[in-house]
Amino acid sequence: MRALIALAAITAIAGCVAAVPIDRPSDYTAPSTLDSCGADLPQDWKDALSRTGTEVGPHEKVTVVGANENADVTLVKTTRNRTTELVLRDHGKRQQVMAVKDDAQLFGVEFDGRWVTFSTSRGPSDRTRATYAWDSRNDGAPVQIGSEGAVVLGGRAAWTAGGDVHVYDLARKKGRVAGQGENPVFLGGGVLWLRDGRFRGEGALPAQLEKARPGGNVASDGRTVVWTQGDALLGWREGWADPRELAEVKGASRTEGIVFPRVSGDFVSWQSESSYVTDIRSGATAHTSGGGYWLEVHGGALTQQGWRVAAAAPLSALSPLPQC
């Protein structure tokens, strides 16, 4: 499993952008590494995913990689016949965003309800990337904006290049350098990033974040920022007196730790050899103990990927996880 993780360069997202995708075996499942409050996956979650599921053919791979706030518009990545296609699905309509062929990769997809950002490379081991933005309202061709992967929120994209944090207004086509660091995310009306193991930003940081020591994994939905710190997943949003510990895993020396966090509303998805979903309201975390599938939050959806199924259930339809 560490060999699989070694294939990925972990960067931050307004959810989470993996610079190189991890391709887990379709039948892979792992024992829980959770060392904090745990809960079974509720039946209404399973039912909601079942209602929104799409059966996948034996010779294709389908993954829901983005959703709008209501989960009724989704971005789907499909691979079949050596072609990988990124498609926007909107109430039965279908818009192709981009397609790549043969060994070319398409990954790091982010969606803010209008704008899509994503990256491509010529092959799994090729470190040369191109990052694009696409406006779902205009159905034009994607436009290259960089080469390092980007996060997007409210029509603004952010990424790191050459040690500089770039912020770009997609509609106005104007950009600027916000500072020096890595792993930018949007929070409130501003931008945060990491430098020397601390949060940095334009202007004064919220006092609650000044003492944080984030690892390389950080994510935000614009309201809540989450990050890894040692074996724990922490989070903070405006109105909280202090950051809160959301989840913890057994010693990272025996596991891959917590990687690829994504946050949407009151839910945080993350991985530690298999997938987990934490409910910020109750403090409980559900582990996907069933065979060979993964759960992630994207926009307003809880998405499922795995063996012969892809689904996107509205987060608003999910019951809270029970408190321990």
Side-chain angles (χ1 to χ4, degrees), residues 67-223:
N68 69 343
E69 184 178 2
N70 299 319
D72 55 357
V73 178
T74 58
L75 282 158
V76 178
K77 186 172 74 168
T78 301
T79 300
R80 65 169 73 88
N81 298 327
R82 297 189 64 79
T83 296
T84 298
E85 184 182 26
L86 181 63
V87 171
L88 183 80
R89 295 181 178 175
D90 182 359
H91 300 93
K93 295 187 295 183
R94 185 181 185 278
Q95 290 177 277
Q96 185 190 78
V97 182
M98 180 174 275
V100 296
K101 293 184 176 295
D102 300 325
D103 292 329
Q105 307 286 295
L106 192 157
F107 54 94
V109 180
E110 292 298 321
F111 182 42
D112 70 357
R114 173 181 174 179
W115 295 93
V116 181
T117 58
F118 62 94
S119 298
T120 63
S121 71
R122 290 178 293 221
S125 60
D126 191 328
R127 307 298 292 178
T128 302
R129 306 179 188 91
T131 298
Y132 296 88
W134 181 74
D135 185 355
S136 64
R137 294 184 185 176
N138 293 329
D139 197 25
V143 176
Q144 185 171 352
I145 59 172
S147 59
E148 301 297 332
V151 296
V152 63
L153 185 69
R156 294 186 300 163
W159 65 88
T160 301
D164 292 329
V165 175
H166 294 256
V167 180
Y168 189 79
D169 186 310
L170 293 166
R172 298 172 61 198
K173 300 180 180 179
K174 291 186 177 181
R176 58 187 173 83
V177 173
Q180 290 190 318
E182 58 186 359
N183 295 7
V185 296
F186 293 105
L187 183 66
V191 183
L192 297 180
W193 58 87
L194 303 184
R195 190 176 73 205
D196 300 328
R198 297 191 179 193
F199 283 115
R200 309 290 184 183
E202 294 181 295
L205 282 176
Q208 295 87 347
L209 299 181
E210 290 179 350
K211 295 182 180 180
R213 298 294 182 269
N217 293 273
V218 59
S220 174
D221 64 354
R223 178 191 177 204

Side-chain angles (χ1 to χ4, degrees), residues 2-27:
R2 287 187 177 278
L4 289 172
I5 288 296
L7 294 176
I10 301 171
T11 62
I13 57 167
C16 180
V17 175
V20 178
I22 292 179
D23 202 1
R24 309 271 189 175
S26 60
D27 60 350

